[in-house]
Amino acid sequence: MRMSKERIGQWSLGLAIACCAAAVGGTAFAEMGQPAPWEVTLQQPASPVMENIVWFHSFLLWLVTLITLFVLALLVIVVVKFNAKANPVPSKTTHHTLIEVAWTIVPVLILVAVAVPSFRLLFLELDIPKPDLTVKATGNQWNWTYTYPDDKIEFTSIMLTDEERAKMNPAPPRLLGVDNEMVVPVDKVVRIQTTAADVIHSWAVPSFGVKIDAIPGRLNEAWFKATKEGRYYGQCSELCGRDHAFMPIVVHVVNEQEYQAWKKKQQVASRMRDTSYASAAAATR
């Protein structure tokens, strides 16, 4: 009995937290760019697409809640008013034209109310505007290779070990930090192209509302426009093998000046790598 009471208390606490989160509009415990302890809502949006996803999610939550309460009220009325004790002689009515028309038209109107913003959101996600920057993300077992084709930049992003994290201040989130972050400028349209070198992966960053498969031999694309500076974390979202849980994604959103400085540094590093490869190849001949 004692364990039962403890479990009931735990369930009650969890239910109270969830209700409080819903009551404040879905922002409680949400953290910018990464998951947070006790988080019961979506991550805070940092792109126009994610802002629309959050709005649509909240709209559906309230709509489903109202429908559920309405159905519950009908069930309570039926139980109280039409039980055998309160209503010993039941009605033999089999048809009611008004009710039958209402329960056909009202669900249709509800579906239309859901379909219009749903199609609008789908169009927003799939209609890629003119990009300011293109980045190609190639999934490998088990890391990501990022290519900036217009700037001749390429590097591989690998998850940091606990030892590497311990040397950093501040330390990035465990299992989410990487050695080379994908860097993009703020308030710019970024076209993200995905493919894979081996098996199917999936490039996903929740705060941007982006999740797109990376398939060998195929080039998929999506887009985002980061509206706030900072680091945004994601992970491969397709079961891709043994180390599936260890290929995180980090997008570092910076201002234009910082981005240009980073780009020049990466271009120099890429040229040095190309020179080293060429020298090594010549030495083996």
Side-chain angles (χ1 to χ4, degrees):
M1 179 63 70
R2 182 178 179 183
M3 288 296 295
S4 177
K5 288 182 178 179
E6 290 178 355
R7 290 184 178 180
I8 291 174
Q10 293 173 355
W11 279 102
S12 300
L13 176 61
L15 181 60
I17 291 173
C19 292
C20 289
V24 298
T27 59
F29 311 111
E31 192 165 312
M32 181 62 69
Q34 61 181 297
W38 290 92
E39 186 173 43
V40 293
T41 61
L42 302 175
Q43 290 185 17
Q44 292 187 36
S47 75
V49 170
M50 190 58 186
E51 289 173 359
N52 278 270
I53 291 175
V54 171
W55 178 89
F56 189 51
H57 169 271
S58 301
F59 168 71
L60 290 181
L61 176 63
W62 285 111
L63 181 63
V64 171
T65 300
L66 291 175
I67 293 173
T68 302
L69 293 176
F70 175 70
V71 173
L72 176 62
L74 292 180
L75 289 174
V76 171
I77 291 172
V78 169
V79 170
V80 173
K81 190 174 181 179
F82 298 103
N83 62 74
K85 183 177 180 180
N87 191 44
V89 182
S91 170
K92 296 183 179 180
T93 303
T94 57
H95 296 283
H96 193 291
T97 303
L98 180 61
I99 293 178
E100 292 176 3
V101 170
W103 74 38
T104 301
I105 294 179
V106 172
V108 171
L109 295 177
I110 293 174
L111 291 176
V112 171
V114 171
V116 171
S118 175
F119 288 138
R120 184 181 60 191
L121 175 59
L122 188 62
F123 181 81
L124 178 64
E125 293 176 335
L126 298 179
D127 183 42
I128 301 176
K130 183 179 179 181
D132 299 301
L133 174 67
T134 298
V135 181
K136 180 182 177 183
T138 303
N140 312 301
Q141 289 183 315
W142 284 271
N143 53 62
W144 295 95
T145 296
Y146 293 105
T147 306
Y148 293 62
D150 299 329
D151 299 316
K152 305 297 187 292
I153 296 173
E154 183 173 291
F155 56 87
T156 298
S157 180
I158 301 173
M159 187 186 76
L160 295 173
T161 64
D162 288 339
E163 292 76 14
E164 292 169 329
R165 288 179 57 254
K167 299 176 182 178
M168 303 176 68
N169 187 24
R174 186 172 183 271
L175 301 183
L176 291 178
V178 297
D179 56 353
N180 292 309
E181 302 169 340
M182 173 181 165
V183 179
V184 300
V186 70
D187 290 325
K188 299 292 184 181
V189 175
V190 179
R191 175 172 57 190
I192 180 77
Q193 297 178 329
T194 60
T195 188
D198 32 55
V199 299
I200 298 177
H201 300 276
S202 185
W203 197 88
V205 179
S207 290
F208 296 153
V210 176
K211 181 180 183 296
I212 184 167
D213 284 347
I215 303 173
R218 179 172 177 174
L219 193 68
N220 289 334
E221 62 180 15
W223 74 282
F224 65 88
K225 180 181 179 181
T227 56
K228 303 171 185 175
E229 295 182 29
R231 285 180 172 84
Y232 299 89
Y233 297 89
Q235 289 178 300
C236 174
S237 298
E238 189 75 43
L239 188 58
C240 59
R242 185 193 67 191
D243 288 339
H244 159 69
F246 307 109
M247 52 183 301
I249 299 162
V250 182
V251 181
H252 189 189
V253 182
V254 298
N255 58 49
E256 184 63 27
Q257 291 77 11
E258 290 183 60
Y259 175 73
Q260 292 301 327
W262 174 87
K263 184 171 72 171
K264 290 179 181 178
K265 183 179 178 180
Q266 289 295 322
Q267 287 172 335
V268 171
S270 296
R271 285 196 293 268
M272 293 178 63
R273 283 194 298 267
D274 293 340
T275 302
S276 299
Y277 295 152
S279 301
T284 58
R285 291 176 183 172

